[in-house]
Amino acid sequence: MNRVYKTLLIPFLAVILFSQISCNNQSTETTDAETSGSDLAVSDHFDPKGKGPSKHTLAIWENWKKTLPFEDKRDFEEAQKGFIAAPDFRQIKNAEGRVIWDIGRYDFLLNEQDHQTIHPSLQRIATLNMGYGLYKVSDGIYQVRGFDLSNMTLVEGKTGWILIDVLTTKETSAAALKFANEQLGERPVRAVIYSHTHADHFGGIRGVVNEEDVIAGKVKIIAPEGFMNFAVSENVIAGNAMNRRLFYQYGVLLPVSPYGHVDQALAKNVSSGTLGLIAPTISISKPVEELVVDGLRMIFHNTPNTEAPVEMNTYIPEKKALWMAENVTATIHNIYTLRGALVRDALTWSKKISESLYMFGEEADVMFASHHWPRWGNERVQEVLRTQRDAYGHIHNTVLNLANQGVTVNEVHNVYEVPASLQKQWSARSYHGSVEHNSRAIINRYLGYWDANPLTLIPMAERESAPLFVEMMGGAGPIIEKGKELFEEGKYKHAGELLNKLVFAEPQNQEAKDLLADCYEQIGYQQESTSVRNSFLAGAYELRNGIPGGEMPKSVTPDIIRAMSTETWLDFLGVKLNSKKAEGINFKMNIITPDNNEKFLVELSNSTLSNLKGFTAKNADLTLTLNRSDLNMAMMGVKSFEDLLKEGKAKVEGNPQILAQLVGMLDEFDPRFEILPGTKKEKYQSPTADGGFDAPAFIED
Ligand SMILES: [Zn+2]
């Protein structure tokens, strides 16, 4: 029985735990081949077929350089302000000596050289995100930055530290706390605040507190209501698909290089250490709730359905310090995150920023957040709050204005424009989201994916329709010829339209795939948003070389399994069921877990596995009774069901064969399923010679 739990858990835990082997891909610093500007010299970057920027891409690059407000350098001043010290190391290792964090890979961004393979605005934020070390926010408030995707904030309480967000993994959080204590004097951790449910804000908890101290009440963990539910469940059911899409949005296997991975918008990247989770001990349930935490008055402001399903800002009146969680950072965030998730609510997001502005923002002297750097002075605080409020509000309102005039989900990204006043504000630039995918998301949230053209209601798959297009266009020869012509003219999207048909019609046509990849690459270089850049560059890589190698997840974290509800796990079993194999099979099974007083009725009928919490069937074919704490062991793969039965920890009544039958009907999800035609391989190769990758522990922002 062991297998069932392993096989059904690992694929979605892959999303939660993108834990990985070595992190030895050092920055591929190169002499940029792009300086000539006229032709597409094959560069010496990671991909042997890779090219520098075309003259068209360079023209766009020059235009951005001229028109964006580079004279406004306040972000650079703020990112530097309060700097106390940087550690003498640039790598963090785990207990086995493996490098799980290495900001040094990105040092090519510190040489003050323009990289014309990077949008100038993206290079700006990528450089700002090189901030590394301990910084003072205000009296008694400090941040460690550059140790992970997120910041760790330390607030002086009466007797010790109150930590706000604790990075992604225990290795980086422990290193951050140690470094801060060395610089500021050792203080015990009295409380931890989880601002929201994304793992870069809670995963490092075990590096800064002992669970026994939490249980004993010595350390309080404060989080918004509903935290545990959403911390685990947001990406379980579609986990394998989300995991695969991380290859694109986050470029998780793209080598770090001016031609590849340069930034993650919120910071450099995610650490690849050990992710943990300890449940909160205090839940903030009211819209606004005040607590005294280690002698310090804190006002919590719940902001559900914004950047995360549950999230909260915090105001510290005594210090006039406003913590905006991940609701206000130095980028416009994802309204739709390309890894896949429910579309977020831009209107609520905008309103919650407005609430913060009028509840706290009119008196705050400093505003700080879980990513990027603080803003000082009330005028500046209000400026950034208004800018971001209006950026989310404008895209929401204006996209719906357009939709109400007939603009569709498939057109709006070419029609919607950010107002000029916001375009000139750095904090309204879309590094994480993009204007294009966020504007489409607004329509998708309200109207869904259909553009109301009857033909697109039941579209042919591209694989089915492409051969007809190719035939009508006169075959591969003319398409390649026209594709090259369009490419030379810098019409990469036009070329892409044609070549995409050919690639879908002839998945083994490498010439077509290479030319399409060249288009992707130029489009990627032109993007301000890391999400879109990474997607195009990862796609280019796959078209040229096939789906990349690099180690996939190899471990599951006990904390995450413990935190998962039995219902979520059973829901996922239903997703794993192979409908064809289940045809004609019917059974009812009861699962009873006495220690948490839960029971479930699991029924297979009509090739559908359903589960109902709080019920049992009178005439069940099988009743399985075991404590949830023992079920955890099976879910983790530590013990098999046979072991648990032998040890007397599990009891069965009825026909135990049903369990084996169920296992036999579950699908294995391929973590490297094919997205672009002809990219699936028998054996995967690593994009770098040393084969080392830095697949992060977790990505969920
Ligand atoms: Zn985050």
Side-chain angles (χ1 to χ4, degrees):
M1 282 306 95
N2 194 1
R3 193 179 142 262
V4 57
Y5 300 103
K6 277 186 178 162
T7 56
L8 61 86
L9 276 168
I10 287 169
F12 72 71
L13 284 165
V15 174
I16 297 171
L17 286 158
F18 216 81
S19 74
Q20 207 273 324
I21 42 160
S22 59
C23 172
N24 50 356
N25 54 321
Q26 299 300 314
S27 65
T28 355
E29 187 154 351
T30 51
T31 311
D32 289 355
E34 59 261 36
T35 42
S36 72
S38 55
D39 53 3
L40 295 172
V42 173
S43 67
D44 54 353
H45 66 48
F46 60 87
D47 184 332
K49 293 176 181 173
K51 308 211 171 32
S54 71
K55 62 184 177 190
H56 307 288
T57 296
L58 284 175
I60 290 165
W61 187 94
E62 295 285 352
N63 184 52
W64 283 122
K65 196 82 184 161
K66 276 190 224 124
T67 55
L68 284 166
F70 284 100
E71 66 283 357
D72 178 358
K73 296 189 187 304
R74 289 178 295 171
D75 282 344
F76 281 93
E77 291 157 17
E78 288 163 333
Q80 277 302 311
K81 187 171 171 175
F83 175 74
I84 294 170
D88 56 9
F89 53 86
R90 290 182 83 72
Q91 291 183 334
I92 297 169
K93 293 176 182 170
N94 68 4
E96 288 80 49
R98 179 170 69 81
V99 176
I100 55 92
W101 179 250
D102 182 4
I103 195 167
R105 293 182 300 153
Y106 296 91
D107 282 350
F108 66 88
L109 290 159
L110 296 175
N111 62 12
E112 297 193 359
Q113 180 194 339
D114 277 338
H115 295 283
Q116 291 160 318
T117 49
I118 309 172
H119 189 296
S121 177
L122 173 55
Q123 184 172 340
R124 189 196 78 97
I125 194 93
T127 307
L128 282 161
N129 284 340
M130 291 303 288
Y132 181 56
L134 179 68
Y135 297 76
K136 182 175 174 175
V137 176
S138 75
D139 285 342
I141 304 180
Y142 304 90
Q143 286 190 318
V144 178
R145 297 184 213 137
F147 277 50
D148 207 316
L149 186 71
S150 47
N151 300 330
M152 185 193 284
T153 299
L154 303 96
V155 181
E156 272 180 27
K158 211 170 170 186
T159 65
W161 291 125
I162 303 159
L163 304 181
I164 312 182
D165 289 354
V166 289
L167 310 184
T168 319
T169 62
K170 71 173 186 187
E171 292 85 354
T172 55
S173 69
L177 180 62
K178 181 167 181 278
F179 184 65
N181 275 331
E182 281 165 9
Q183 298 296 320
L184 302 168
E186 182 101 18
R187 296 167 69 89
V189 174
R190 296 295 187 210
V192 173
I193 296 168
Y194 296 147
S195 69
H196 65 288
T197 48
H198 294 156
D200 51 321
H201 306 268
F202 66 78
I205 186 67
R206 289 186 187 275
V208 294
V209 303
N210 290 319
E211 191 163 19
E212 303 79 68
D213 291 341
V214 176
I215 293 165
K218 288 186 203 160
V219 179
K220 294 181 168 49
I221 301 183
I222 304 165
E225 188 174 43
F227 176 88
M228 283 303 273
N229 194 16
F230 286 105
V232 174
S233 69
E234 195 185 353
N235 51 15
V236 169
I237 298 297
N240 191 62
M242 287 183 178
N243 191 15
R244 178 69 177 96
R245 293 161 71 108
L246 293 177
F247 279 58
Y248 283 67
Q249 182 193 354
Y250 278 75
V252 292
L253 297 181
L254 274 181
V256 172
S257 137
Y259 303 91
H261 196 276
V262 299
D263 200 64
Q264 215 61 284
L266 297 166
K268 300 322 298 174
N269 213 323
V270 186
S271 67
S272 57
T274 314
L275 181 120
L277 176 57
I278 299 177
T281 55
I282 297 175
S283 176
I284 303 298
S285 54
K286 294 183 192 136
V288 180
E289 199 169 324
E290 201 173 310
L291 283 184
V292 175
V293 183
D294 193 29
L296 191 66
R297 198 176 143 223
M298 296 183 132
I299 304 174
F300 300 106
H301 173 210
N302 259 314
T303 65
N305 300 313
T306 51
E307 190 264 335
V310 302
E311 184 149 356
M312 64 182 190
N313 303 330
T314 302
Y315 185 58
I316 307 171
E318 186 183 301
K319 297 175 190 293
K320 294 194 174 176
L322 176 58
W323 161 265
M324 284 304 290
E326 198 163 324
N327 284 314
V328 173
T329 57
T331 175
I332 295 306
H333 214 288
N334 289 302
I335 295 170
Y336 166 52
T337 182
L338 300 181
R339 70 175 156 89
L342 291 180
V343 172
R344 293 165 183 166
D345 184 346
L347 182 60
T348 295
W349 201 330
S350 175
K351 282 178 190 243
K352 290 293 171 189
I353 296 172
S354 211
E355 282 180 13
S356 296
L357 172 61
Y358 284 101
M359 284 195 295
F360 316 115
E362 289 186 310
E363 70 162 49
D365 285 337
V366 64
M367 174 171 74
F368 57 117
S370 59
H371 298 277
H372 303 127
W373 50 89
R375 319 292 190 158
W376 284 272
N378 184 258
E379 203 180 313
R380 177 69 162 152
V381 169
Q382 291 206 37
E383 176 198 324
V384 174
L385 284 170
R386 275 201 177 80
T387 298
Q388 290 234 331
R389 176 195 66 183
D390 294 345
Y392 292 109
H394 186 274
I395 196 170
H396 173 273
N397 296 345
T398 308
V399 164
L400 287 170
N401 174 296
L402 293 166
N404 279 315
Q405 298 185 65
V407 176
T408 72
V409 69
N410 294 326
E411 299 164 333
V412 70
H413 54 288
N414 296 322
V415 182
Y416 172 70
E417 278 179 39
V418 177
S421 57
L422 287 177
Q423 290 209 38
K424 294 278 182 195
Q425 290 285 341
W426 287 120
S427 68
R429 303 302 307 183
S430 289
Y431 299 113
H432 203 18
S434 73
V435 174
E436 289 86 354
H437 74 255
N438 278 345
S439 58
R440 298 185 74 187
I442 305 280
I443 294 191
N444 191 27
R445 182 174 172 93
Y446 283 87
L447 300 175
Y449 58 82
W450 186 42
D451 62 3
N453 175 343
L455 198 69
T456 63
L457 193 54
I458 43 171
M460 289 182 76
E462 281 187 293
R463 281 181 172 80
E464 294 166 21
S465 65
L468 179 61
F469 279 94
V470 169
E471 185 194 328
M472 294 302 293
M473 287 189 275
I479 295 174
I480 297 260
E481 201 178 316
K482 186 69 183 175
K484 281 181 179 162
E485 193 184 309
L486 290 165
F487 180 85
E488 291 304 326
E489 291 169 26
K491 293 181 175 169
Y492 305 121
K493 289 181 192 164
H494 292 78
E497 285 283 326
L498 298 186
L499 293 163
N500 187 56
K501 300 276 189 250
L502 180 53
V503 167
F504 271 95
E506 298 179 12
Q508 301 313 317
N509 188 331
Q510 193 57 48
E511 190 186 7
K513 286 193 286 189
D514 286 348
L515 192 50
L516 182 57
D518 289 347
C519 296
Y520 276 15
E521 186 172 57
Q522 297 302 317
I523 295 169
Y525 290 158
Q526 293 174 14
Q527 300 305 309
E528 184 176 29
S529 157
T530 56
S531 303
V532 183
R533 173 191 170 94
N534 290 338
S535 296
F536 274 96
L537 295 183
Y541 183 89
E542 292 192 7
L543 284 170
R544 287 167 176 161
N545 307 289
I547 297 166
E551 185 131 325
M552 293 303 288
K554 62 173 182 180
S555 61
V556 292
T557 285
D559 281 354
I560 298 293
I561 290 173
R562 273 195 290 269
M564 189 185 308
S565 72
T566 307
E567 184 173 13
T568 299
W569 172 66
L570 289 170
D571 288 345
F572 188 61
L573 272 188
V575 171
K576 287 204 61 154
L577 184 79
N578 183 304
S579 171
K580 290 275 182 286
K581 288 182 185 166
E583 249 169 47
I585 300 173
N586 301 290
F587 61 69
K588 284 182 194 164
M589 175 165 72
N590 296 326
I591 298 178
I592 298 167
T593 52
D595 59 340
N596 65 356
N597 204 21
E598 285 186 353
K599 53 187 179 179
F600 291 87
L601 193 167
V602 179
E603 184 169 0
L604 177 64
S605 60
N606 298 306
S607 294
T608 308
L609 190 72
S610 60
N611 73 81
L612 189 59
K613 190 179 172 180
F615 287 77
T616 50
K618 288 186 201 80
N619 53 346
D621 300 287
L622 171 69
T623 295
L624 177 65
T625 305
L626 80 172
N627 281 333
R628 172 57 208 248
S629 56
D630 293 316
L631 181 61
N632 287 340
M633 303 306 283
M635 289 164 78
M636 289 172 205
V638 175
K639 284 186 181 172
S640 71
F641 250 89
E642 283 153 342
D643 293 340
L644 291 170
L645 284 167
K646 266 186 224 151
E647 291 170 20
K649 289 187 171 158
K651 281 187 288 187
V652 286
E653 270 174 60
N655 177 11
Q657 289 308 313
I658 285 173
L659 282 170
Q661 194 177 19
L662 179 59
V663 173
M665 294 186 289
L666 298 176
D667 275 335
E668 292 296 326
F669 294 134
D670 178 359
R672 284 186 161 82
F673 61 75
E674 188 173 271
I675 292 173
L676 299 169
T679 55
K680 186 93 187 143
K681 297 184 118 181
E682 284 298 305
K683 208 165 166 247
Y684 297 106
Q685 289 167 351
S686 295
T688 53
D690 58 21
F693 288 107
D694 177 31
F698 183 92
I699 298 179
E700 208 193 27
D701 262 297

